[in-house]
Amino acid sequence: MRLPWRRKRSGSEGVPVQRAIGLSRKLITRAGEAEGTRVAGMLATLCCTLDDADLLAFFRWLVSDFGPDQEGLKAAASAYLADPDAALAASLTVAAEPRRQELLRRLNTATGGTALIVALRGRLLTMLRAHPELAPLDADLRHLLASWFNRGFLELRRIDWHTSAAILEKLIAYEAVHAIRGWDDLRGRLGGDRRCYGFFHPALPEEPLIFVEVALTAAISDAIGPLLDHPPMRTEPHAPTTAIFYSISNCQPGLRGISFGNFLIKQITQNLKAETPSLEVFATLSPVPGFRRWLDAGGNALSAPGCEPGDDLVRLCAHYLSGVQPDGAQGVPRDPVATFHLSNGARVDRINPDADLSEKGQAESCGIMVNYRYLPEAIAANHERFAERGEVALAPAVAALRLLRREGRRVRKATDAVKSSTISSQ
């Protein structure tokens, strides 16, 4: 989402920030709807002129000066501790809310307010690492955006060559997994044996939040190259049996970390099945963007050192996807793509070496890609086990890879023990 950020005039350092602070104070005290909307519009317009330095100063002011009313919070807390009933608990909740949350709600009433707030969070996220003191503001934005962008508000639309040019241009710009190489490439991803779906929000009707690209095939794909190839006369199989989700892109940086709810893929599978009844298998061909970092952080300690080709690397990836940490401890997978699909109820179905020969694929995952499979009868149970216990659903063949690696370590330890015993007895 690109808003018309404008440069401030030279010689006006500090002035826009003071105006933004003044309008914020005015907005939070205005009770009348008409006047409040007018002030919200003025503040929204001004926010679009703030450069990074001014916006940082404004954000810092929101954190330091627009938190909860301390005296009111102390009084509410004391009252609840003296008499912990439901009414006083509700009063305490109201008193604990930072005033900047109400400011953001009122800013949202401006024309384009939701888009502005999403964009402001996108700019905030670029500042957080260098300015961790802004974390309370990010927590407030996450809280509000999670409410405004929950699954109940999202609309699923199929995107094809007849969709508005504005949205099609955004697909090219937002594709985050496999770059779209111009209009001919885009057309190839929308017709014949391909499908594309987008999730939209009523407040951003021309802005896709997520879009999903699908190939209808005769089998589960094990490499991305053939899926990105678009022969001029390519058509879908006579009766395709398999839907491969090969690209899922989050389009709005300002919504990073905001959950749109689970079962988004399930809704698309239902639409696909209704359109093409011959479909029986629903799977992905997904990148493993965190795998190389995990290896570099110590994942190789679980096996022989080095990024080795073949089965050894596949087994290491099985450990990584099942949540094994570099020190060998069991945990929840840190890979963002794995987390998305596992929380949506998929299982890790197959690990494919040499599936992505691109520079990015080699740099991030040593060329490995993963098939996550959505089994309709197991989606709910897989989701619940992952959400409640962090349990990763693995196909038997993937689980066997982990067992083989553990068995290999036992054999090496036993061999080392025998060698030590032999040496000590000589």
Side-chain angles (χ1 to χ4, degrees):
M1 181 186 310
R2 296 176 176 83
L3 291 178
W5 307 110
R6 294 184 289 275
R7 293 182 179 272
K8 66 183 180 183
R9 297 176 182 174
S10 60
S12 60
E13 287 77 4
V15 175
V17 179
Q18 294 305 315
R19 288 186 59 213
I21 290 172
L23 287 170
S24 297
R25 288 177 170 148
K26 190 174 183 180
L27 179 58
I28 203 70
T29 59
R30 281 293 179 270
E33 181 176 345
E35 177 64 5
T37 301
R38 187 184 72 83
V39 175
M42 294 171 62
L43 179 57
T45 299
L46 178 59
C47 283
C48 289
T49 71
L50 300 181
D51 62 15
D52 286 347
D54 281 342
L55 193 62
L56 174 61
F58 182 53
F59 285 163
R60 282 174 164 165
W61 175 79
L62 287 174
V63 171
S64 63
D65 287 32
F66 243 42
D69 176 67
Q70 294 298 317
E71 294 304 317
L73 180 56
K74 289 178 184 178
S78 298
Y80 176 74
L81 290 173
D83 182 15
D85 69 1
L88 291 175
S91 298
L92 177 58
T93 299
V94 172
E97 180 179 274
R99 288 175 294 167
R100 57 184 168 264
Q101 282 197 20
E102 180 60 25
L103 174 70
L104 291 167
R105 290 192 192 95
R106 297 190 182 195
L107 181 59
N108 191 48
T109 65
T111 301
T114 303
L116 172 67
I117 290 170
V118 172
L120 287 174
R121 181 169 185 260
R123 294 181 71 185
L124 173 65
L125 291 177
T126 67
M127 302 175 181
L128 270 180
R129 178 170 294 184
H131 301 282
E133 71 275 10
L134 301 180
L137 176 58
D138 184 51
D140 293 331
L141 284 164
R142 285 174 63 107
H143 172 74
L144 292 173
L145 292 172
S147 298
W148 299 345
F149 285 86
N150 74 68
R151 177 66 193 87
F153 290 113
L154 302 191
E155 174 192 354
L156 176 64
R157 301 184 209 163
R158 180 174 171 182
I159 300 172
D160 58 26
W161 195 243
H162 301 292
T163 300
S164 74
I167 291 178
L168 295 182
E169 287 175 348
K170 286 166 184 170
L171 294 192
I172 296 175
Y174 291 151
E175 167 60 81
V177 185
H178 306 292
I180 298 175
R181 302 177 300 276
W183 288 98
D184 288 341
D185 188 13
L186 177 63
R187 188 164 193 159
R189 298 195 193 194
L190 299 178
D193 61 359
R194 301 303 160 90
R195 302 289 184 270
C196 184
Y197 295 90
F199 285 94
F200 295 80
H201 189 279
L204 306 170
E206 294 297 303
E207 284 284 348
L209 308 182
I210 297 176
F211 69 88
V212 180
E213 297 171 69
V214 188
L216 306 185
T217 67
I220 295 179
S221 303
D222 62 1
I224 193 61
L227 293 184
L228 298 181
D229 184 29
H230 303 306
M233 300 302 293
R234 189 198 64 219
T235 59
E236 65 189 60
H238 176 65
T241 60
T242 305
I244 299 294
F245 300 82
Y246 66 94
S247 182
I248 300 174
S249 295
N250 292 307
C251 305
Q252 306 300 330
L255 295 177
R256 192 174 74 208
I258 305 298
S259 173
F260 299 131
N262 300 303
F263 308 128
L264 298 180
I265 301 300
K266 183 178 179 181
Q267 184 174 351
I268 298 178
T269 64
Q270 291 170 342
N271 284 29
L272 285 167
K273 184 68 174 176
E275 294 174 3
T276 311
S278 61
L279 293 174
E280 298 174 352
V281 177
F282 300 90
T284 79
L285 184 62
S286 300
V288 199
F291 182 49
R292 171 75 76 164
R293 288 195 304 272
W294 179 82
L295 288 174
D296 294 342
N300 273 319
L302 297 168
S303 181
C307 188
E308 301 292 340
D311 287 347
D312 194 56
L313 192 61
V314 170
R315 288 175 182 145
L316 283 168
C317 192
H319 279 285
Y320 170 68
L321 293 172
S322 60
V324 175
Q325 304 304 315
D327 61 2
Q330 183 65 46
V332 176
R334 296 180 179 180
D335 190 86
V337 176
T339 300
F340 175 82
H341 289 295
L342 295 170
S343 65
N344 270 269
R347 78 176 186 187
V348 183
D349 202 63
R350 188 170 68 189
I351 300 173
N352 305 296
D354 300 321
D356 185 354
L357 302 180
S358 69
E359 183 178 344
K360 180 180 179 183
Q362 294 293 325
E364 293 184 347
S365 62
C366 299
I368 284 179
M369 297 191 78
V370 177
N371 299 123
Y372 297 94
R373 187 166 176 182
Y374 286 86
L375 297 158
E377 69 279 7
I379 287 176
N382 288 346
H383 159 72
E384 289 175 6
R385 285 194 292 267
F386 183 74
E388 294 174 5
R389 303 191 293 275
E391 182 178 329
V392 176
L394 302 173
V398 178
L401 289 170
R402 297 173 63 250
L403 292 171
L404 284 169
R405 176 54 55 203
R406 286 200 295 269
E407 186 62 29
R409 288 205 301 275
R410 292 193 194 101
V411 170
R412 287 198 299 275
K413 286 180 179 178
T415 302
D416 291 343
V418 170
K419 288 180 180 178
S420 299
S421 176
T422 303
I423 292 171
S424 63
S425 64
Q426 290 178 347

